[in-house]
Amino acid sequence: VRLGYIPEVILIDYADLLLLSGAGEFRNKIETTYEDLKALGGEYGCPVFTVSQLNRTGISDDYVDSDVAAAEAFSKNNTPDFIMTFNRPERMRELNGVLAFVTKNRYGPDKVKLVGPMDTSTGTIQLYQLDTPEAQDIMRNAPSEEQRMRNLAQDRYTTFTQRREALNHQSVNLG
């Protein structure tokens, strides 16, 4: 901006950690920070994107609503025009997948559930609405939490059995 460059987009790596000025409670400072970032985007006519932590309320939910799970300051949900949450429960990690939820959208539909592949080495995410064939394929391949726990228990039992047999074999050879 100092050199006459006007950004097309502003990316903030974790707005909650920006230097918070002024007196008062932390949650009020966070609210002011989000209001200032929205004003900055308005000043330059570009969107501002940031990430923010959710609290543990939604940790067990596939699709996390920021209205319920906003960490530190619920008021930071009031300022943005668009909020999307991402969640990678273990069953999705196993498939290199991600679940997303449009929790707020002032200019279009909200409460939209999405799913898609995620390449963590490049940060590439493709998202599909649940009623699309691509999303249905992904969800069909994702084990339920119950099935995932059964698989985990079976794997641990197999490992235990193999170790026990190896120990028994060692003790026979030593004796």
Side-chain angles (χ1 to χ4, degrees), residues 40-143:
L40 181 69
E43 182 178 336
Y44 291 107
C46 67
V48 177
F49 292 94
T50 188
V51 295
S52 182
Q53 186 74 33
L54 295 174
N55 66 29
R56 299 184 71 75
T57 301
I59 201 164
S60 62
D61 298 335
D62 279 351
Y63 295 95
V64 181
D65 192 335
S66 67
D67 290 344
V68 175
E72 298 297 339
F74 174 76
S75 60
K76 66 185 171 184
N77 286 340
N78 296 334
T79 304
D81 295 324
F82 182 86
I83 299 174
M84 179 183 287
T85 63
F86 293 89
N87 190 16
R88 294 192 72 216
E90 189 63 36
R91 64 192 178 91
M92 293 307 292
R93 281 191 206 122
E94 293 171 3
L95 295 171
N96 294 319
V98 65
L99 302 173
F101 184 61
V102 177
T103 185
K104 179 179 180 180
N105 185 357
R106 288 190 195 192
Y107 305 110
D110 62 358
K111 308 305 181 199
V112 177
K113 295 178 178 181
L114 307 162
V115 63
M118 178 177 183
D119 182 345
T120 56
S121 68
T122 63
T124 304
I125 301 172
Q126 294 176 319
L127 294 174
Y128 304 100
Q129 289 190 7
L130 291 182
D131 59 355
T132 64
E134 295 89 349
Q136 291 171 3
D137 285 345
I138 292 167
M139 295 307 285
R140 188 173 18 261
N141 292 325

